Amino acid sequence: MRYLSTRDTNKRVTASQAIAKGLSEDGGLFVPEILTNLSANAIESLLPMSYQQRAVYIMGGYLGDFTAAEITSYAERAYSAPGFDDSAIAPVHTLDEDIHFLELWHGPTCAFKDMALQMLPHLLTATLEKTGEKKSACILVATSGDTGKAALEGFRDVDRTKILVFYPDSGVSDIQKLQMTTQLGSNVGVCAVRGNFDDTQTGVKQIFSDREIIRELEGEGYMLSSANSINWGRLLPQIVYYVSAYCDLVNQKKIKLEDKINVCVPTGNFGNILAAYYAKNMGLPIDKLICASNENDVLTDFIKTGAYDKNRDFYTTISPSMDILVSSNLERLLFDLSDKDSHIINSYMRSLSDNGSYAVSADLHAKISSTFWAGCCSDEKTKKVIEATFKKYGYLIDTHTAVAFDVLNHYRHDTGDMTPAVVVSTANPYKFCDSVLSAIGTEYKEKGLGLIEKLAEETGTTPPKPLVDLKGRRERFDDVISKEEMALALKAFLGSK
Ligand SMILES: *Cc1c(COP(=O)(O)O)cnc(C)c1O
């Protein structure tokens, strides 16, 4: 299987090259030349398999330069106890007859980013070998909270890698911050940057495009690499859980083989929902893909009208991992729906960088509308959904998942389509204790880890072990720097130890 750049289809690279590079030099994203086919027979053969075996089957089709034995060993190491606290890895929780929550937060950092970032380090270090790369990888991450911790945990003490995470000092939850500042491992660094997520992200992008720094690092034996969701090595493991959830629903007799389901995804950078789109096009019987946003509703408008416009106010919400105005992975969808026409993609993306906006053709918009539906949900409504779901079902969900549940209800009300639905649950509610406590109407004075005990006490639910274990951990990283100091911080980090 070869990979193309969305901005230059004459270029063809192997899977390991696509994963090692992350982003193509022309600014495009790597996509597989074709999707592998998942027939009803193939799905049937996956029914008795474990999550790890399903992962080997799905991922194997896309990793031509990896052996089955290699992928099997990665899957067994990435998806196992004690990192995951549920042997199903990505269990499906049925709320009502035809509403199911796909729980993607049973990994070591309690958010769905673990599903990919437990796998990516295995793929990336193997690609260093396969591409004959002599340098070590230095992973640079700008995070709004969940990615940073999941990447730190995935890469900690992994040979031939170092990882430095920058997070905005204002903009992550108390728990998210503690998760990062107490990170263990000898190859990790964490640094707060004054400002918001955009400032942090801009700083990281500047380092990536600074030839002088890159040359200097190369001299010291490092190549810069990204754990961001534009990397194919992050997208591929995410296709697996859609297939796995479908198999589980068949096994549990909630649906019959070949029955259609709808999928509703709380969306930020469009990576998670894009993986569902690929699963559907491979042959998984998914009908509608429902894209859920918070008050940052640029995707809702785009899917409804065909016009993408990031020139709008940016809101800081209680579902911070979805506070985003430019969803990078959308480029891969547009490429696919425009029959792999890189000229069209180049013109849209040029318009996006010049004007902050573009509008797709009527034909392309019609294709989007036939598969996708979109809606958005305010903070106030998000809290109401958390409260109502807990009261009615005793099931506690986090803010991101609540946005998706609300948008699903909205979809069902508007369209009357009651196809069995999978709501993608992306974080453990304990990661966002403060918002969840206020949603269920609890007054609290606690801060930091005290919030975990308070939420457990109020709801009678059990907090996840990785968060409880933060108690008593030493804070190792307390640097706060300005955006201008990020490159210096990187050099100091690589120079140390
Ligand atoms: C990252 C994240 C999202 C958004 O996922 P995308 O793939 O960026 O669309 C949603 N919820 C949570 C909890 C996340 O961490």
Side-chain angles (χ1 to χ4, degrees), residues 350-381:
R350 208 173 306 121
S351 172
L352 181 64
S353 77
D354 293 350
N355 317 314
S357 66
Y358 59 88
V360 300
S361 67
D363 177 44
L364 192 52
H365 182 234
K367 289 189 197 164
I368 294 171
S369 309
S370 72
T371 301
F372 290 87
W373 195 88
C376 54
C377 173
S378 67
D379 277 359
E380 199 186 334
K381 191 69 197 295

Side-chain angles (χ1 to χ4, degrees), residues 6-60:
T6 50
R7 299 197 195 173
D8 179 3
T9 47
N10 294 317
K11 197 172 288 164
R12 293 250 187 315
V13 300
T14 62
S16 47
Q17 285 166 332
I19 292 167
K21 282 178 188 290
L23 192 70
S24 176
E25 280 118 18
D26 49 40
L29 308 186
F30 288 114
V31 292
E33 206 167 27
I34 46 161
L35 293 177
T36 58
N37 182 32
L38 191 65
S39 65
N41 280 343
I43 297 174
E44 195 166 16
S45 74
L46 294 173
L47 294 179
M49 291 191 192
S50 66
Y51 188 87
Q52 295 81 350
Q53 290 168 320
R54 290 168 184 165
V56 173
Y57 182 91
I58 301 295
M59 291 179 51

Side-chain angles (χ1 to χ4, degrees), residues 111-113 146-147 229 234 238 265-273 321-322 324 329 398 400 426-427 432:
F112 100 94
K113 304 291 194 293
D146 291 335
T147 301
S229 73
R234 269 194 62 180
Q238 298 182 357
V265 188
T267 297
N269 217 9
F270 211 77
N272 202 352
I273 195 167
S321 302
M322 296 155 73
I324 193 158
N329 274 301
D398 95 293
H400 304 77
T426 48
F432 301 94

Side-chain angles (χ1 to χ4, degrees), residues 222-481:
Y222 288 104
M223 57 177 262
L224 277 186
S225 194
S226 163
N228 194 277
S229 73
I230 50 175
N231 194 313
W232 174 249
R234 269 194 62 180
L235 214 42
L236 177 58
Q238 298 182 357
I239 298 175
V240 176
Y241 49 72
Y242 289 103
V243 178
S244 184
Y246 189 89
C247 292
D248 288 348
L249 288 172
V250 173
N251 283 342
Q252 292 162 15
K253 307 216 163 18
K254 300 290 195 299
I255 56 172
K256 291 193 294 297
L257 193 62
E258 298 190 57
D259 279 357
K260 294 261 190 203
I261 58 169
N262 288 337
V263 170
C264 182
V265 188
T267 297
N269 217 9
F270 211 77
N272 202 352
I273 195 167
L274 184 73
Y277 171 81
Y278 284 146
K280 171 181 162 75
N281 282 6
M282 285 164 65
L284 193 71
I286 296 176
D287 189 23
K288 279 282 173 189
L289 293 167
I290 302 162
C291 175
S293 301
N294 61 26
E295 275 154 43
N296 296 295
D297 56 357
V298 59
L299 283 170
T300 310
D301 289 348
F302 172 67
I303 289 171
K304 292 210 149 109
T305 66
Y308 196 97
D309 189 358
K310 72 158 190 165
N311 303 306
R312 58 179 71 211
D313 291 337
F314 174 86
Y315 299 103
T316 302
T317 73
I318 59 171
S319 43
S321 302
M322 296 155 73
D323 291 346
I324 193 158
L325 291 180
V326 177
S327 300
S328 318
N329 274 301
L330 193 58
E331 180 169 342
R332 285 186 163 113
L333 175 74
L334 300 177
F335 180 74
D336 197 73
L337 289 176
S338 63
D339 299 320
K340 300 188 168 34
D341 187 334
S342 56
H343 298 289
I344 294 186
I345 301 306
N346 274 299
S347 80
Y348 292 158
M349 293 304 133
R350 208 173 306 121
S351 172
L352 181 64
S353 77
D354 293 350
N355 317 314
S357 66
Y358 59 88
V360 300
S361 67
D363 177 44
L364 192 52
H365 182 234
K367 289 189 197 164
I368 294 171
S369 309
S370 72
T371 301
F372 290 87
W373 195 88
C376 54
C377 173
S378 67
D379 277 359
E380 199 186 334
K381 191 69 197 295
T382 304
K383 288 188 181 182
K384 287 213 171 99
V385 172
I386 294 172
E387 184 187 25
T389 310
F390 186 63
K391 281 220 170 105
K392 185 163 176 202
Y393 302 99
Y395 186 59
L396 198 61
I397 56 177
D398 95 293
T399 46
H400 304 77
T401 308
V403 165
F405 193 21
D406 182 58
V407 170
L408 173 70
N409 288 328
H410 197 151
Y411 169 79
R412 289 185 153 197
H413 181 264
D414 273 20
T415 63
D417 175 8
M418 303 303 271
T419 303
V422 169
V423 176
V424 179
S425 179
T426 48
N428 185 296
Y430 279 87
K431 260 198 123 152
F432 301 94
C433 288
D434 42 359
S435 303
V436 174
L437 276 168
S438 89
I440 59 172
T442 303
E443 307 260 342
Y444 60 89
K445 298 182 294 297
E446 290 80 355
K447 280 169 91 168
L449 296 176
L451 290 166
I452 295 180
E453 281 159 32
K454 182 79 177 167
L455 185 58
E457 206 175 280
E458 286 296 322
T459 59
T461 56
T462 310
K465 190 163 184 303
L467 299 186
V468 176
D469 286 353
L470 290 174
K471 202 167 177 174
R473 280 270 190 90
R474 187 172 64 88
E475 282 199 60
R476 295 178 64 197
F477 305 101
D478 55 7
D479 286 353
V480 184
I481 61 169

Side-chain angles (χ1 to χ4, degrees), residues 33-110:
E33 206 167 27
I34 46 161
L35 293 177
T36 58
N37 182 32
L38 191 65
S39 65
N41 280 343
I43 297 174
E44 195 166 16
S45 74
L46 294 173
L47 294 179
M49 291 191 192
S50 66
Y51 188 87
Q52 295 81 350
Q53 290 168 320
R54 290 168 184 165
V56 173
Y57 182 91
I58 301 295
M59 291 179 51
Y62 291 96
L63 297 172
D65 43 353
F66 291 75
T67 66
E70 284 174 324
I71 304 169
T72 304
S73 131
Y74 308 154
E76 283 168 0
R77 284 186 281 160
Y79 306 122
S80 62
F84 281 78
D85 68 6
D86 191 309
S87 60
I89 306 301
V92 178
H93 175 97
T94 293
L95 191 72
D96 236 339
E97 224 14 48
D98 58 2
I99 301 180
H100 313 278
F101 283 69
L102 172 56
E103 295 181 349
L104 299 180
W105 39 258
H106 288 274
T109 77
C110 310

